[in-house]
Amino acid sequence: MIVSFIVNGEGVTARVTTPVSLLDVLRDQLELPGSKSACEQGECGSCSVLLDGALVCACLVMAVDAEGSTVRTVEGIASEGTLHPVQVAMHEAGAVQCGFCTPGIVVAAADLFDRDPTPTTDQIKEAVAGNICRCTGYGAIVRALESVAGERR
Amino acid sequence: MSFMIAGSLEEALTALAAGARPVAGGTDLVVGARQGKAPLPTSLVAIDRLAELTQIEPTDGGIRIGASVTHARLLTDPTIVSDYTALADAAALVGSPSTRNVGTLGGNVMNASPAMDTGAPLMVLGAVAEVQSERGSRTVDLSDLWTGPGQTSAKVDELCVAIDLPSRPARSGSAYVRLEYRRAMEIAVVGAAASVTLADDGTISDGSVALSAVAPTIIEVDGVAELMAGHLPDAVGAAIAAAVAEAAEPISDLRASDSYRRHTVGVMAARAVDAAARRAAGEEISVPVNRAIGVGASR
């Protein structure tokens, strides 16, 4: 089965013979390993991508069901070599420990700020509620995202 | 493996008649396969792009919610939030933003989990499911649809296409309250939905209560309307809690013991009745009511 879709602005085609996930195709066939494979059950958010503009866990999307869709991965969050404000803030706040959850949190947070430039702390926590940091480094992550909101107020 | 993205409802029903299984958000089917509960079906038909399944539209007697309407949509739809608020309360508690963006109401109903959050609200709001196959279309009461954990009375070639809800009476309100151990990616320890209609003098004229995670299916509690009728909302909490605890048939598992569930579901039901009555009286309580009144996991 051939599946064609757009990833980070580029048209791509992949051949799939088994019910693999969009995540597996991104990582194994399209050389986009930024989205992480961890729980593979939609629980941890480390594979968060935007599918036709909606935040989803790529591990739960069957690759064949992405036909004709537009996908944005963490590799497509920075533009023209300029980091997204979320990436800058997380870097400056040291909001990264082992780093495994970081790509998913960047995607979920970028999605939040693209929809609402000045979210409240509650809205920030809700937006990343599906992203588990196994280092439990939530304090720095939330503070980093609050700083993005603060700068835009 | 065979996988088809249905281009029309007819195409989807033909595929089901030929043995395919439907998939929309994948939040139960794919997760179940990964957890080893059931292998992924070898033939799948994707129904999430069918426009006729993604509408929320008024009907002669109420509202029709397409089976592929997502939880994210339910919790922001103005009509659902204002008139069918318990359903919005429940949708807002499901999973995480990612889960709610792809998980659908029809998928939730047909997955038939006894702990599903949208089920108790649908029951107190008087919902019926529309199921369709190549053989025709029929409506099913939810109490007839759910036959056990993960079991429905729908035939294998039948697709849930919509949920129909009747119009709401004047001076009515509804709410869904869930006991949870954490705020996201959580399944109800127990949950309770209530619908309350008030008379002009502020007493309750009608009402209903349904429960999550205390029986093999979502259950409606018998005799609640009679228990509440003629009383002020403030006066019925203890009686509701007692009736609900009596009706519950909970099990013990790693999430809670049967006695804990029996007690707490009564507490949740009393809080749901209180919130529903306050909404019926015109008070604005934001969605989800869990966050508004501080039930469940704290921040």
Side-chain angles (χ1 to χ4, degrees), chain B residues 47-201:
Chain B
I47 56 165
D48 50 312
R49 301 188 196 197
L50 297 177
E52 56 262 64
L53 300 193
T54 56
Q55 312 295 317
I56 299 177
E57 54 198 359
T59 58
D60 286 347
I63 190 171
R64 182 177 190 269
I65 306 173
S68 294
V69 168
T70 62
H71 294 99
R73 183 116 167 265
L74 288 175
L75 74 96
T76 52
D77 182 85
T79 308
I80 304 293
V81 170
S82 68
D83 295 356
Y84 304 92
T85 322
L87 185 57
D89 285 331
L93 296 179
V94 171
S96 68
S98 299
T99 321
R100 296 192 290 269
N101 281 339
V102 295
T104 65
L105 184 62
N108 213 198
V109 167
M110 298 308 284
N111 190 54
S113 163
M116 66 188 288
D117 287 310
T118 58
L122 289 176
M123 226 163 192
V124 298
L125 295 167
V128 296
E130 271 181 56
V131 299
Q132 206 170 323
S133 71
E134 284 194 314
R135 296 173 289 117
S137 178
R138 65 187 179 106
T139 58
V140 194
D141 284 344
L142 296 179
S143 54
D144 296 325
L145 182 71
W146 295 319
T147 54
Q151 304 291 320
T152 73
S153 59
K155 301 289 182 289
V156 71
D157 64 338
E158 284 182 320
L159 182 70
C160 175
V161 294
I163 302 294
D164 287 279
L165 295 162
S167 342
R168 298 288 292 154
R171 283 175 68 78
S172 67
S174 65
Y176 175 71
V177 181
R178 171 178 94 174
L179 180 63
E180 57 192 14
Y181 295 145
R182 56 180 183 178
R183 294 183 67 150
M185 298 313 299
E186 177 65 310
I187 296 169
V189 180
V190 296
S195 169
V196 170
T197 306
L198 298 177
D200 289 341
D201 63 359

Side-chain angles (χ1 to χ4, degrees), chain B residues 201-227:
Chain B
D201 63 359
T203 61
I204 297 173
S205 61
D206 196 11
S208 54
V209 168
L211 312 176
S212 318
V214 292
T217 65
I218 304 293
I219 54 167
E220 189 162 354
V221 182
D222 290 335
V224 168
E226 296 74 14
L227 201 64

Side-chain angles (χ1 to χ4, degrees), chain B residues 243-255:
Chain B
V244 161
E246 177 74 17
E249 308 162 18
I251 57 167
S252 292
D253 61 17
L254 80 169
R255 299 170 53 70

Side-chain angles (χ1 to χ4, degrees), chain A:
Chain A
M1 225 174 283
I2 301 289
V3 56
S4 300
F5 50 98
I6 294 168
V7 180
N8 302 330
E10 278 186 40
V12 295
T13 296
R15 177 186 294 275
V16 294
T17 53
T18 53
V20 293
S21 64
L22 173 62
L23 176 63
D24 288 344
V25 168
L26 290 172
R27 289 177 56 83
D28 300 340
Q29 295 193 37
L30 301 176
E31 298 182 347
L32 293 169
S35 310
K36 298 304 176 200
S37 179
C39 77
E40 294 194 85
Q41 296 182 7
E43 289 272 348
C44 77
S46 68
C47 65
S48 299
V49 301
L50 297 170
L51 178 67
D52 292 328
L55 185 72
V56 304
C57 288
C59 71
L60 295 187
V61 178
M62 302 190 51
V64 282
D65 207 9
E67 175 65 32
S69 296
T70 298
V71 179
R72 193 173 169 207
T73 70
V74 68
E75 289 91 343
I77 297 295
S79 55
E80 310 272 323
T82 306
L83 291 178
H84 190 283
V86 162
Q87 293 169 308
V88 173
M90 288 184 67
H91 177 225
E92 288 179 352
V96 177
Q97 285 177 255
C98 85
F100 208 81
C101 71
T102 310
I105 287 174
V106 165
V107 172
D111 175 49
L112 168 68
F113 284 100
D114 290 350
R115 286 181 288 111
D116 177 2
T118 56
T120 63
T121 298
D122 272 356
Q123 288 168 327
I124 287 169
K125 288 181 176 177
E126 183 60 35
V128 296
N131 296 81
I132 292 175
C133 169
R134 288 164 213 257
C135 310
T136 69
Y138 296 106
I141 292 166
V142 172
R143 280 194 296 279
L145 301 180
E146 282 174 332
S147 76
V148 177
E151 281 162 19
R152 294 182 177 190
R153 275 207 183 95

